[in-house]
Amino acid sequence: MLINKPEYNKGDIATFMLVTGQECIARVEECQDDGFLVAKPLTLVPSGQGMAMVQLGMTAQINTVVLKNQHIVFHGPTAKEAADGYLQSTSGIQLVKGV
């Protein structure tokens, strides 16, 4: 039996492209056989200043959700700038840029 190591560790920030065309950035809580349990999922929407991150399911009061494999086109680690923006949006912490 071949056992694969999960692709992400708990707490990693990952980007998921969904079959709906939405790009979702979330903190991975657990890699499951049928998908990923993620926390604080945000999606990208156009705004006057470029792209903005808003809660996936804007009117739903959710903290965690399972993104099923059948709804994911692809996924990967989030680029550092986007991950920093995600952390700032979800925690309120202002990250310090390199001096």
Side-chain angles (χ1 to χ4, degrees):
M1 172 190 241
L2 179 64
I3 299 175
N4 292 329
K5 179 182 180 293
E7 298 178 48
Y8 305 103
N9 295 313
K10 182 176 178 156
D12 286 351
I13 309 302
T15 297
F16 300 88
M17 178 59 73
L18 306 179
V19 295
T20 59
Q22 291 176 293
E23 188 169 344
C24 173
I25 300 174
R27 188 179 72 233
V28 176
E29 293 295 313
E30 182 181 350
C31 298
Q32 302 175 340
D33 289 339
D34 63 341
F36 299 88
L37 175 65
V38 297
K40 299 183 179 180
L42 301 180
T43 188
L44 298 172
V45 295
S47 74
Q49 290 79 32
M51 297 302 281
M53 291 184 210
V54 297
Q55 182 177 332
L56 183 67
M58 289 186 273
T59 60
Q61 294 183 355
I62 56 172
N63 188 43
T64 59
V65 66
V66 174
L67 297 177
K68 300 279 188 181
N69 290 332
Q70 67 218 42
H71 300 129
I72 300 170
V73 177
F74 66 84
H75 57 84
T78 302
K80 180 167 176 22
E81 285 183 5
D84 289 349
Y86 171 85
L87 291 171
Q88 185 174 327
S89 295
T90 58
S91 69
I93 296 171
Q94 182 72 29
L95 299 173
V96 177
K97 306 257 186 209
V99 179

